[in-house]
Amino acid sequence: MKIAICPGSFDPVTLGHLDIIERAADIFDEVIVLVASNKSKKTLFSTEERMELIKRCVKSSNVKVDCHSGLLVDYAKDKKADAIVKGLRAVSDFDYEFQQALINKSLYPEAETVFLTAKGENMFLSSSMVKEVCSLGGDISSFVPKEILNDIIKRCKGEN
Ligand code: ADP
């Protein structure tokens, strides 16, 4: 059984994340979407909320959602994960992701970092862009799953 981890902040999950998660679920037997719960980092949604939003949108039955506050490789070791799956957008992602992949490989050689290329329409999509556009009143419906659109709009307006 091949296990992959898709790590990230997912604050909130976007159609770009979801595309990577579902494609990973087609390749691996089990995919764990791992929400980073870093207490010192200010997020729009709490860890539990981010996990719930992801669960509401994911269609594949072999995807689980979990959270972790420590080193990714420690979690990967614990789960005996085979791969860490990351989405690659523009070249700007590359330096950082390459560095992370090398560090993770040296800390835990059993897991391979696998990069999936972002879909063309998601190349410039990020959670921070969604939050900025939404808080300024822009239409984010083509960037986020419809199941969670209203939750994001309400939170950006400060209504919940
Ligand atoms: P963000 O950069 O939007 O804050 P995260 O830190 O939650 O995202 O990223 C988690 C993973 O999802 C990373 O591997 C990142 O490259 C990938 N990812 C983020 N946005 C997209 C996108 N639009 N298309 C493909 N992959 C993406």
Side-chain angles (χ1 to χ4, degrees):
M1 168 134 143
K2 295 285 182 197
I3 301 173
I5 298 174
C6 288
S9 316
F10 305 103
D11 186 41
V13 66
T14 67
L15 289 175
H17 294 128
L18 210 54
D19 173 56
I20 299 295
I21 295 166
E22 298 287 3
R23 282 159 63 196
D26 283 343
I27 303 171
F28 293 94
D29 299 303
E30 184 180 306
V31 169
I32 304 170
V33 181
L34 193 63
V35 176
S37 67
N38 186 344
K39 293 269 181 294
S40 64
K41 205 172 158 192
K42 183 108 186 60
T43 52
L44 185 62
F45 292 96
S46 70
T47 305
E48 290 68 29
E49 287 171 333
R50 284 179 277 149
M51 291 173 68
E52 194 277 321
L53 294 176
I54 297 167
K55 284 180 192 163
R56 229 191 291 162
C57 310
V58 170
K59 300 279 181 292
S60 303
S61 56
N62 57 338
V63 176
K64 290 181 182 164
V65 183
D66 200 359
C67 65
H68 184 60
S69 60
L71 263 185
L72 172 61
V73 286
D74 287 339
Y75 183 92
K77 261 183 217 171
D78 188 48
K79 296 286 172 188
K80 297 190 170 48
D82 301 281
I84 296 164
V85 174
K86 309 290 312 263
L88 264 194
R89 288 165 288 191
V91 187
S92 50
D93 277 347
F94 185 80
D95 261 4
Y96 176 76
E97 293 293 353
F98 196 71
Q99 193 182 6
Q100 286 288 312
L102 288 178
I103 291 169
N104 288 337
K105 184 80 181 163
S106 71
L107 294 174
Y108 182 49
E110 286 83 351
E112 291 294 340
T113 297
V114 175
F115 292 110
L116 298 181
T117 49
K119 271 178 157 177
E121 65 261 40
N122 296 334
M123 278 299 272
F124 298 100
L125 180 51
S126 67
S127 298
S128 44
M129 190 274 275
V130 164
K131 287 182 276 193
E132 192 169 339
V133 169
C134 190
S135 63
L136 295 171
D139 179 10
I140 56 161
S141 59
S142 56
F143 306 140
V144 298
K146 57 183 180 317
E147 292 87 347
I148 64 169
L149 176 63
N150 283 330
D151 299 73
I152 301 169
I153 295 172
K154 279 188 191 157
R155 182 61 57 90
C156 284
K157 281 188 187 163
E159 286 177 8
N160 67 356

